[in-house]
Amino acid sequence: MKRFKANGGEHVNPSYDSTLDEPPFYEVSNFSNGEHRTVRPSVVSAFGHDTLDRLPNIDFYRNPDTVSGHRAVRPSLQELHDVFQKNGAISVPDTVEDDDQRSDGTPSQDLESAGPTDTDIGTVKFGWIRGVLVRCMLNIWGVMLFIRLSWVFGQAGWGLGIVIIALSCVVTTITGLSMSAICTNGVVRGGGAYYLISRSLGPEFGGSIGLIFAFANAVAVAMYVVGFSETVVDLLKEHASLMVDEINDIRIIGCITVVLLLAISVAGMEWEAKIVLLVILLVAIVNVFVGTVIPATTDKKSKGFFGYQSNIFIENFTPVFRDDETFFSVFAIFFPAATGILAGANISGDLRDPQGGIPKGTLLAILITGVTYLGVALSATVVRDASGNITDLVTPGIPCNGSAIAACELGYNFSICDVQKCNFGLMNNFQVMTMVSGFGPLIIAGTFSATLSSALASLVSAPKVFQALCKDNIYKALHFFAKGHGKNNEPIRGYVLTFVISVAFILIGNLNTIAPIISNFFLASYALINFSCFHASYAKSPGWRPAYKYYNMWLSLMGALLCCVVMFVINWWAALLTYGIEILLYIYVTVKKPDVNWGSSTQAVTFVSAVSNTLSLSSVEDHVKNFRPQILVLTGSSRTRPALLDLAHSFTKNFGLCLAFQEMNASMEKNQLWLRKTQRRAFYTAVAADDFREGTEKLLQASGLGRMKPNTLMLGFKRNWRSAGTEEVQSYVGILHDAFDFEYGTVVLRMNQGLDFLFLILLSFLISFSLSVSVCSPPSPQVAKMNERLLEASTQFNKKQPKSTIDVWWLFDDGGLTLLLPYILKTRKKWKDCKLRIFAAGQPGRSDLDKQEMMSLLQKFRINCSDIRVIDDIHVKPSSESLKKLEDMIEPFRLHEGSKDTDQAEAMQREQPWKISDKELNTFEEKTNLQVRLNELLKENSRSANLIIVSMPIARKESVSDFLYMAWLDILTRELPPTLLIRGNHKSVLTFYS
């Protein structure tokens, strides 16, 4: 093996096995950051020459740490652009990119990357028949098939009974189609409905419905077990062997049963148990059909069964609702029978091919079970009321009427049932199927099979869904339940939690009470599955490419609306409670903002809406009433000047555009992440440029999109302008001139402590450290206090402001920006305790009139202020002391050509054109004195203000030198509280018209 030296302190070790078709690969290690990966630099056979480009391969598209195969890393664009091969030497880029940090958009937080690969060794995977079809059929053929279906048809008649079954099948079929589309749009992992909804609509919807769906499955265990217990109690009643009473016997038997089911599930014998239960169930269903063709015995006739009789069919066609039941209350009791369609999807992580198996198995199960329900219900031709007394025959002279007219025609008189409650018939006997069948004990066994298989399916589904939800760590308090055990990663803790919930509902002991509770939960889940399919289709994202094509987005939307309507019709208060819980969970997840990115359709729709709204804005002319400050902030790193960013954010808040800017570097993503974590709603951007001014100029021209572009430039005051180089000062002043030229409003913030607080704290630390080393003593407390003051100043605008004033010196009409910004600031919670004071320039002798005019103007603008002051002595010459400060400030930058002859003066101006000439000082003496005088007035009137806002002076580029202009800004804002210099673009941003 040859050894190569790579760029940037990296070593590349090429290895090649001549027996393989793969080209040589290079192990690339970056010693500076410990990163390591494998790069295959050349492909020879396909193209006939060495190339770093790789052929398309599925391994490039896997998630990091995928459990379904090895993830390969394709060469980056930078590598292809920079790498060269010459004479057997290879050079690689200085930066080696870590898999998890790649910016190719590959999602990294997913269940696919959630577990180590060694846990999948020996894992049992199911095909579509065992994993989906059988489970769905066993779950759908539940407690309703043998012990409630006859009651449903007795209440609703077989006419509306068919409608109930058909409506249930319509809901489940549409949901099945939507689920099939979602399942075939990518790899499906464990979590069932939660996984489908969360990956489609995002963690907010998925997290809320996932918790509800897991809970609904846990309650479903109780419903099926209570159905089983009712059958056992009926047997005990027949033999007069009740332990306590009916309700308590149901509770006792139910608790014992759920313990046994839990043991079967935990022991891993769930599938073996299902095979036995399926065989028994199929035999029991056949037994019902066989019993209907066997001639009815006298005992069966006395209990209301006469075989296939047309008059019984006709009599049972119309509904006869009793005991305050309605169509929708009966539907609510039956609908959980159809909820088993997610039994296969709920164990999607245990399926060999969930993409192909879930659609095929689920839809076939809906068809088979729907036909079975209809066949069994229509075959049970039993009258609604029967006494069970073989002596209740039709006798001449005794009237035979009441609810069972058909029985009279067949020789039996059940008129007594109109006077007292009978124990037999569709309305009174939940064990009608046992009586109708050819061999009764088989129906009892089938009932046991149907109820126990459904209970077992729900007992397995609930922990699996809950485990998937907890693995995603959306609810951090529930992460305890994410841990799995054994080769199949069984959620033992989830089993225990499901057991506790199911036992709590088993203690209710009434099937008709439990069923409507979970109907709403399942319907809410189905509604969101349908809406997920519609939403993904509506977003028209290129990533929505389901292999299953037999779906329709509008049909899915109709299914979602149908589920919602049915929820409210079944039980309006339970529907409100369900959606109330879901909304609370949605808000919780939204506030917590889990650190996941699944590429949901919500993101796609948000993007489409943003583009559409931006294009709509572009076709509308700007109007002064809709003006908002859209601020471009020159911050450097977002953490360097927090006070500047906080004040800009106060102006824009959630209703404007704020862009932070620095030169292009590798920390852009970190800065944007910091903005998001600190809840500063702003965009962070950077440009590649040769210098600061050029970069700013590019941003001023190109930043933003359509109407969503900045209109105000905000930057910090350059405090070190006197010690900085000439080019730096010219660049800074040039940026201000550029902003004016591009018609931007311009805002400059000055704070006595400075804005770059990280640099200042580091500088004070270095000074303190050097002093302490020189005198061998700890850092002085003065330096610590200074650091504390700097830190406090950096967060000054990020906390509630004390009661004081915002002083606005609106000296020049710039379109109103100088007045609008402080008004916006006053509307923020942090500034609401501050009073607004307006200072205006006035002519001597007419202060009262000027004040009235300003007051009238503010009233028309509907801007309230606590005080208006007119300053009528601005024209007074400043004190000699103040002028001396200015002279000392500009002395190092003066040319002093006045004492020279003409040739020397011209030569000096050519050599140092940036210096302040005597002619320039004379020309702008009045304007210079004005800045000095304003500083005196500011100190006199606004020294105690929380914030001072002053109209910014403007200098002509050709006439005023950069250093003189900086001196104006410096002397104007010197030794004051935080001060904002503002100059609008002289286009109106305020109006008094409606």
Side-chain angles (χ1 to χ4, degrees), residues 32-48:
S32 61
N33 57 17
E35 293 171 345
H36 176 86
R37 67 173 171 145
T38 300
V39 178
R40 300 184 185 276
S42 62
V43 175
V44 180
S45 57
F47 301 105

Side-chain angles (χ1 to χ4, degrees), residues 69 95 146 294 324 327 480 584 672 692 776 839 923 939 978:
T95 302
F146 293 120
I294 297 175
D324 298 326
F327 172 82
F480 171 80
L584 288 176
Q672 185 66 58
F692 182 53
C776 298
F839 293 81
T923 303
K939 290 178 181 178

Side-chain angles (χ1 to χ4, degrees), residues 903-930:
D903 292 339
Q904 285 181 316
E906 291 178 355
M908 292 173 65
Q909 286 181 331
R910 284 195 301 270
E911 293 174 2
Q912 298 173 316
W914 48 268
K915 281 200 170 184
I916 305 170
S917 66
D918 295 339
K919 179 182 179 181
E920 180 185 355
L921 275 179
N922 293 330
T923 303
F924 297 102
E925 181 180 4
E926 289 185 2
K927 196 163 187 177
T928 303
N929 290 344
L930 175 62

Side-chain angles (χ1 to χ4, degrees), residues 39-263:
V39 178
R40 300 184 185 276
S42 62
V43 175
V44 180
S45 57
F47 301 105
H49 65 280
D50 288 351
T51 175
L52 268 176
D53 270 327
R54 305 296 293 138
L55 297 175
N57 191 290
I58 189 174
D59 290 338
F60 291 134
Y61 298 90
R62 299 189 188 277
N63 282 350
D65 301 321
T66 175
V67 299
S68 56
H70 174 69
R71 186 198 187 210
V73 181
R74 69 176 65 84
S76 69
L77 188 62
Q78 183 182 3
E79 288 170 345
L80 292 175
H81 195 242
D82 294 346
V83 166
F84 63 90
Q85 288 179 309
K86 186 176 181 180
N87 299 327
I90 182 171
S91 172
V92 298
D94 294 339
T95 302
V96 179
E97 199 168 26
D98 185 78
D99 289 356
D100 294 335
Q101 300 298 325
R102 289 180 68 87
S103 57
D104 60 359
T106 306
S108 59
Q109 297 95 353
D110 208 334
L111 286 179
E112 185 177 9
S113 58
T117 56
D118 57 357
T119 60
D120 279 2
I121 298 175
T123 299
V124 178
K125 297 289 185 180
F126 299 109
W128 72 273
I129 295 179
R130 292 175 60 187
V132 184
L133 179 64
V134 172
R135 289 175 189 272
C136 287
M137 289 195 304
L138 284 173
N139 214 6
I140 296 172
W141 283 332
V143 64
M144 300 299 169
L145 179 60
F146 293 120
I147 65 177
R148 282 296 185 277
L149 189 58
S150 58
W151 176 86
V152 168
F153 270 61
Q155 291 276 356
W158 61 266
L160 289 182
I162 291 175
V163 173
I164 288 175
I165 294 176
L167 182 59
S168 301
C169 288
V170 167
V171 172
T172 54
T173 300
I174 294 175
T175 305
L177 294 173
S178 300
M179 182 175 64
S180 299
I182 298 172
C183 286
T184 58
N185 191 53
V187 176
V188 178
R189 299 298 169 188
Y194 159 71
Y195 185 91
L196 301 179
I197 294 171
S198 63
R199 270 50 178 184
S200 294
L201 293 179
E204 295 84 5
F205 282 104
S208 57
I209 204 63
L211 209 56
I212 291 175
F213 186 70
F215 179 77
N217 273 282
V219 178
V221 176
M223 183 186 73
Y224 296 126
V225 169
V226 167
F228 166 79
S229 303
E230 281 188 5
T231 306
V232 176
V233 169
D234 287 340
L235 291 175
L236 293 178
K237 283 170 59 181
E238 287 183 16
H239 298 85
S241 301
L242 290 176
M243 293 177 284
V244 184
D245 53 47
E246 285 189 43
I247 188 71
N248 284 306
D249 282 12
I250 289 174
R251 291 167 178 165
I252 293 169
I253 295 170
C255 290
I256 294 172
T257 303
V258 79
V259 169
L260 294 175
L261 292 177
L262 178 66

